[in-house]
Amino acid sequence: REKDDKHKTWMPKFLMAKEDKDQRKSSGDVERNIFKVKKSNAEKSKKMEKEEKFFRETFMYDKEINVINTATAERSVPSKRRVDLPVTAGERLDVIDVTEGNAVICRNSEGRYGYVLVEHLNFR
């Protein structure tokens, strides 16, 4: 009988302490994760704004940026000039504008802009 009483009192205290500890950890982790996400989104948006500003200055592009179409890169192509956009095979690109000749102005997922030859893109 004494063993049962000791066991009953010991077990709830043990469980309660562990639950409180778990709740503190989980709420702290959630708060930390939220701050990390916000920080990375803020950094990403700043980087995209910087890329857009560079694009507008380099290309002398004063029109509103609208996505005309989306395309997938068929093969990896390194950039030879700063105005060319380096692409990797399978990368999804937003087509911003069509130019004279066989190149289009595209934007990648990182927010970089540049010319990509139509022959390297798949418009499905």
Side-chain angles (χ1 to χ4, degrees), residues 2-53:
E2 290 178 16
K3 287 183 180 178
D4 290 340
D5 289 339
K6 285 182 181 177
H7 183 69
K8 286 181 183 176
T9 57
W10 175 76
M11 190 63 119
K13 287 181 183 177
F14 176 73
L15 290 175
M16 287 179 71
K18 190 171 185 177
E19 287 175 12
D20 292 342
K21 202 178 209 183
D22 288 343
Q23 287 177 353
R24 274 186 262 133
K25 279 186 177 178
S26 64
S27 66
D29 290 343
V30 170
E31 289 175 359
R32 286 187 199 117
N33 288 340
I34 290 171
F35 291 128
K36 286 181 182 176
V37 170
K38 287 182 180 177
K39 186 176 179 182
S40 67
N41 284 343
E43 288 174 1
K44 193 171 184 178
S45 65
K46 277 186 179 180
K47 185 177 178 183
M48 290 184 108
E49 286 176 15
K50 185 178 175 183
E51 288 289 341
E52 184 179 333
K53 183 180 177 186

Side-chain angles (χ1 to χ4, degrees), residues 58-121:
T58 306
F59 288 75
M60 291 179 261
Y61 196 85
D62 57 352
K63 298 186 264 183
E64 186 177 341
I65 296 175
N66 290 324
V67 177
I68 299 170
N69 201 346
T70 57
T72 307
E74 289 184 339
R75 63 183 77 99
S76 296
V77 181
S79 64
K80 295 177 183 168
R81 306 174 294 168
R82 175 60 178 117
V83 293
D84 293 335
L85 182 65
V87 295
T88 56
E91 184 178 13
R92 292 187 55 89
L93 302 169
D94 295 330
V95 178
I96 304 298
D97 202 354
V98 180
T99 61
E100 294 178 16
N102 59 349
V104 291
I105 299 174
C106 294
R107 175 178 61 196
N108 66 7
S109 60
E110 297 173 1
R112 289 193 60 196
Y113 296 84
Y115 290 115
V116 180
L117 295 177
V118 176
E119 61 198 42
H120 300 305
L121 299 176

